[in-house]
Amino acid sequence: MVDDKISLLAIERYEKFRTTYETNLAEFTPILMAVSNNWKFELNILSNLVLSCIASLERISDVFLFLQYMPDSKNYVFSHSFNSAIISYAIGSTLKWDYHELDKLVVAALLHDVGMLHVEDAILNKTTPLTNSERDKLTWHTFQGYQLLQAYNISEDIRMVALTHHKKLDGSGYPADVNPQHLNNYTKVITIADMYGAMTSKRVYRSAISPFEVLGEFQNQGFHKLDPSFMLPYLQFVSNSYIGADVVLNNGQIATVVMANPVKLACPLIKCGDNFINLAENSDIKIVRMV
């Protein structure tokens, strides 16, 4: 039950967001399908689908926790694109981007993975390692997305996000021939949102990863791959957004997040029963998932 999952949050706040989210995701799905088929669509309504979700929140920090409780979508590409746009907006607002930059960021995030709709389901849903041929077909989705967006009157910055959102600042990722020094700021933000959304989502080949484990991975490995000027504010914002949330520990107990740890983001201060536990000093205790 939703009431059990978010006992420390006002249920009406969650329900308001959930209703708007599900309605707008359903409206977004045929639009992205239209883009994948080079059909006409109303570009000006795209960002409003995300902005109305944001407007349904009393505080934007709720978005990360609320997204954890959204039902699993039947088609990952649509929900992942939509979630990435919501997360990107949250990052952009933390960075104090203006309305026009946020609008462009949201549209780019909504469209960044459209090429994935041309990847075979057998590859997307494969539970064993991909062959070299299958991996080539998967990575081609960035070129496919860029080519699809050529048919529309949109900014080249947005098209480049579709092409480069898997490229990292250290030169890793793909496409191989993209110079990481040429990545635009929209790409840098959406890459963070794309990675966070993918890692915290359930996939056919693995369970969802705990947001705290993901934050730890970002902190430990992300700064040479992702832009620190975007990463640091984002990590601080997300870690603070989970204060008050209930979590499940690897020993099966349920605890509440009391305080974020800016040094070790995966290890907040928690309260379990009557005991306060600093996870940074108790390495045998870990958060495995949200309640």
Side-chain angles (χ1 to χ4, degrees), residues 135-149:
R135 186 167 297 280
D136 287 343
K137 291 179 180 179
L138 179 64
T139 59
W140 184 252
H141 83 272
T142 58
F143 290 100
Q144 185 74 55
Y146 179 80
Q147 291 170 351
L148 287 167
L149 296 181

Side-chain angles (χ1 to χ4, degrees), residues 160-176:
M160 288 303 296
V161 172
L163 179 66
T164 62
H165 64 275
H166 284 288
K167 191 69 175 181
K168 307 300 189 296
L169 293 181
D170 64 353
S172 63
Y174 56 90

Side-chain angles (χ1 to χ4, degrees), residues 88-198:
S88 294
Y89 181 94
I91 299 172
S93 65
T94 302
L95 298 171
K96 309 300 183 184
W97 285 13
D98 65 31
Y99 172 81
H100 296 291
E101 290 176 313
L102 289 172
D103 186 77
K104 193 172 177 180
L105 177 67
V106 164
V107 173
L110 287 170
L111 299 176
H112 83 282
D113 248 355
V114 63
M116 289 287 278
L117 294 178
H118 288 259
V119 179
E120 301 167 23
D121 287 342
I123 294 176
L124 293 178
N125 298 325
K126 191 175 181 182
T127 57
T128 55
L130 298 179
T131 64
N132 289 338
S133 175
E134 290 168 336
R135 186 167 297 280
D136 287 343
K137 291 179 180 179
L138 179 64
T139 59
W140 184 252
H141 83 272
T142 58
F143 290 100
Q144 185 74 55
Y146 179 80
Q147 291 170 351
L148 287 167
L149 296 181
Q150 295 276 25
Y152 299 96
N153 183 26
I154 57 177
S155 166
E156 180 66 9
D157 285 339
I158 293 176
R159 298 190 189 102
M160 288 303 296
V161 172
L163 179 66
T164 62
H165 64 275
H166 284 288
K167 191 69 175 181
K168 307 300 189 296
L169 293 181
D170 64 353
S172 63
Y174 56 90
D177 59 351
V178 170
N179 186 336
Q181 294 182 356
H182 296 162
L183 297 176
N184 64 47
N185 286 342
Y186 302 104
T187 296
K188 292 176 181 179
V189 169
I190 292 168
T191 296
I192 296 172
D194 177 79
M195 291 175 62
Y196 180 86

Side-chain angles (χ1 to χ4, degrees), residues 22-277:
E22 292 181 345
T23 299
N24 291 7
L25 175 59
E27 188 174 346
F28 167 66
T29 297
I31 294 175
L32 193 64
M33 184 64 73
V35 177
S36 74
N37 288 288
N38 279 146
W39 300 336
K40 291 183 179 180
F41 75 100
E42 291 294 328
L43 179 64
N44 61 341
I45 72 170
L46 267 180
S47 60
N48 289 335
L49 296 175
V50 169
L51 295 179
S52 60
C53 286
I54 298 297
S56 73
L57 296 165
E58 291 185 13
R59 56 190 192 193
I60 195 170
S61 59
D62 281 342
V63 71
F64 296 100
L65 184 59
F66 287 176
L67 286 177
Q68 292 293 308
Y69 300 130
M70 289 299 112
D72 293 332
S73 173
K74 294 180 180 179
N75 191 306
Y76 171 78
V77 175
F78 297 108
S79 60
H80 173 66
S81 300
F82 200 69
N83 292 352
S84 294
I86 293 174
I87 295 170
S88 294
Y89 181 94
I91 299 172
S93 65
T94 302
L95 298 171
K96 309 300 183 184
W97 285 13
D98 65 31
Y99 172 81
H100 296 291
E101 290 176 313
L102 289 172
D103 186 77
K104 193 172 177 180
L105 177 67
V106 164
V107 173
L110 287 170
L111 299 176
H112 83 282
D113 248 355
V114 63
M116 289 287 278
L117 294 178
H118 288 259
V119 179
E120 301 167 23
D121 287 342
I123 294 176
L124 293 178
N125 298 325
K126 191 175 181 182
T127 57
T128 55
L130 298 179
T131 64
N132 289 338
S133 175
E134 290 168 336
R135 186 167 297 280
D136 287 343
K137 291 179 180 179
L138 179 64
T139 59
W140 184 252
H141 83 272
T142 58
F143 290 100
Q144 185 74 55
Y146 179 80
Q147 291 170 351
L148 287 167
L149 296 181
Q150 295 276 25
Y152 299 96
N153 183 26
I154 57 177
S155 166
E156 180 66 9
D157 285 339
I158 293 176
R159 298 190 189 102
M160 288 303 296
V161 172
L163 179 66
T164 62
H165 64 275
H166 284 288
K167 191 69 175 181
K168 307 300 189 296
L169 293 181
D170 64 353
S172 63
Y174 56 90
D177 59 351
V178 170
N179 186 336
Q181 294 182 356
H182 296 162
L183 297 176
N184 64 47
N185 286 342
Y186 302 104
T187 296
K188 292 176 181 179
V189 169
I190 292 168
T191 296
I192 296 172
D194 177 79
M195 291 175 62
Y196 180 86
M199 294 172 75
T200 56
S201 297
K202 180 181 179 181
R203 305 299 302 274
V204 293
Y205 50 85
R206 62 156 173 79
S207 300
I209 302 174
S210 158
F212 292 94
E213 183 178 347
V214 173
L215 290 174
E217 285 292 314
F218 271 82
Q219 190 174 36
N220 293 334
Q221 302 181 28
F223 287 106
H224 65 290
K225 294 178 178 291
L226 305 167
D227 192 323
S229 64
F230 298 153
M231 274 280 290
L232 279 171
Y234 163 72
L235 292 177
Q236 293 167 356
F237 182 64
V238 177
S239 60
N240 286 329
S241 75
Y242 285 109
I243 294 173
D246 290 340
V247 296
V248 179
L249 307 177
N250 58 345
N251 59 14
Q253 293 183 299
I254 294 177
T256 302
V257 178
V258 176
M259 183 183 298
N261 184 335
V263 178
K264 289 189 175 182
L265 295 175
C267 303
L269 176 68
I270 61 173
K271 185 179 182 182
C272 188
D274 294 325
N275 299 316
F276 288 90
I277 304 172

